[in-house]
Amino acid sequence: MTNRKDMTGADALLAALADEGVTVCFANPGTTELDLVRSLEREERMRCVVGLQENVCTGGADGYGRMTGQPAATLLHLGPGFANGIANLHNARRAHTPIVNLIGDHTSWHLPYDAPLTSDIESLARPVSGWVHRIAAVEQSDAAGREAVKQSLARGGQGATLIFPADHQAHTGGEQTALVQPGASAVAEAPAAFDPAAAVQRLKAANKIVFLLGGGGEQSGLGARAQKAVQRLCAALGATAYAETFPSRSERGQGLPAFDRLPYFPEPAREVLDPADLVVLVGALPPVTYFGYEGHPSLLVPAERLLTLAAVGEDAATRLEAVTELLGAAEVPMPLAVLSPPEEGPLTPARIALALANELPERAIVSVEGGTCGYPFYAVSAAARPHTTLTNTGGAIGQGLPVAMGAAIACPDRQVVALLSDGSTQYTIQTLWSLAHEHLDVVVLIAANHQYAILRNELRRGGAALGDRAAQITSLDNPRIDWVTLAQSYGVPGGRASTSGELTALLQQAFGRRGPTLIEMAL
């Protein structure tokens, strides 16, 4: 192992992470991480991004990993600090994002005394981590860091969590030793056998086919290559295709097919899926209802009607291209996408969607959270300039703003837009400070309807009336949040639009300058 006997454990760990390509750390440290903080000063290859709340840090690491395919680190304070970041680690797990979590713990000799901040960190970490390890000696620091990176890239991407007692961070050790832990090595899972001839045979035997495309990196079902291959297959087979409802990452815009997302509610989703005798999964999981709804099966398509062409994390693009060649599916010219300008008048979700789609710069990254404008934008974004869309994979709200921050750090040459709703953004509003602190090119768009609209829609399902108490519980109108003033208090300049013309003008200003901007869109 590496001879780092003059290094502290913290130095050895961070050096190992940097050696393995981890160069960004989203940090909200405390007393038990102070030696890691000292080491960050010495490890010049590691950029430290400060978050004012742990869920900002974990969401930032998720956005970074989605755009690069490589892990960032988080630095979190004991069990309670890690718990504050679990919601966005849940989303990252659903997105198959590689992340290395560093959690400081009490000194090993202090743990038996059950001090106020002592907790069972392992139990907190396991539900959102594919691998959890406690560093038991300073001599393990190097090997633990290298193994954590390896583990984060296993199984298509996952969280790898290291628990690092403060005394092992601070001490220097002798020769670094190998990591001794049963099952510590990442499982080298052989790719599933793929027989394109068998896939073609089953496709030919089907009468009505629906392709369901999963998001991820460039080789995923929603990468550009895969979408073009699916377009060829749809033309040859008379099939239709949909993106999964909440893809981790999808390429979108002119030059690509205008595939819609699978509807969120079970009734329209079943209208798409029930008539199909074959649903082909391309980097997507079998579709299930988001919640349990009476009268609807949880599994929307039974196993006998499913064909997995590529599992999550597999090279969907190459498999699809092999099937298209074997089937003899011809190239399909992409229809010319035409984008209408928004009608002038008071803002509506549709007018917001059109205004953004018209002004969106080429190669932009759009982090979407909230149904108010998310679905209308996706519907028209096929005609926008080519861009990347990131959505809320796990449903834990408070993702959109931190993911946008992480994407901006991962891709500093690309404009980032956070298209958000007012209720969910308050969960991680502290991200605005980090955007200003790092001077990131992120345009934050807040659809301010001053209510939890998704809950009101759920309450009204089946024609039910919205009662006074339910309206009060789902209202954000008393007091009404002043988003422009709030943004300015965090160091982010802002403006307010109430018409489509005002929004277009503010978008043009925001895209023409450097640094973050917030636009409140009054609905």
Side-chain angles (χ1 to χ4, degrees), residues 121-212:
I121 301 175
E122 283 87 347
S123 292
L124 291 169
R126 287 191 187 100
V128 291
S129 308
W131 182 77
V132 180
H133 177 72
R134 177 179 288 271
I135 298 175
V138 63
E139 292 82 6
Q140 290 185 1
S141 305
D142 180 276
R146 296 180 189 278
E147 184 66 27
V149 176
K150 182 180 179 182
Q151 288 285 347
S152 74
L153 296 168
R155 304 179 185 91
Q158 61 183 4
T161 298
L162 286 173
I163 304 164
F164 204 177
D167 49 335
H168 301 328
Q169 296 176 39
H171 293 166
T172 56
E175 187 79 12
Q176 290 286 312
T177 61
L179 195 65
V180 179
Q181 176 181 328
S185 295
V187 177
E189 298 176 359
F194 176 62
D195 182 355
V200 167
Q201 185 176 11
R202 193 162 178 199
L203 289 169
K204 286 182 174 179
N207 293 314
K208 184 171 179 56
I209 301 170
V210 172
F211 287 88
L212 185 61

Side-chain angles (χ1 to χ4, degrees), residues 35 221 234 246 251 341-342 378 429 501:
D35 279 284
C234 287
F246 294 106
E251 301 308 310
Y378 201 88
I429 189 62

Side-chain angles (χ1 to χ4, degrees), residues 287-312:
V288 299
T289 57
Y290 212 74
F291 297 100
Y293 294 99
E294 293 289 343
H296 295 283
S298 295
L299 184 63
L300 287 169
V301 181
E304 60 269 18
R305 289 168 46 212
L306 291 172
L307 169 63
T308 299
L309 204 63
V312 176

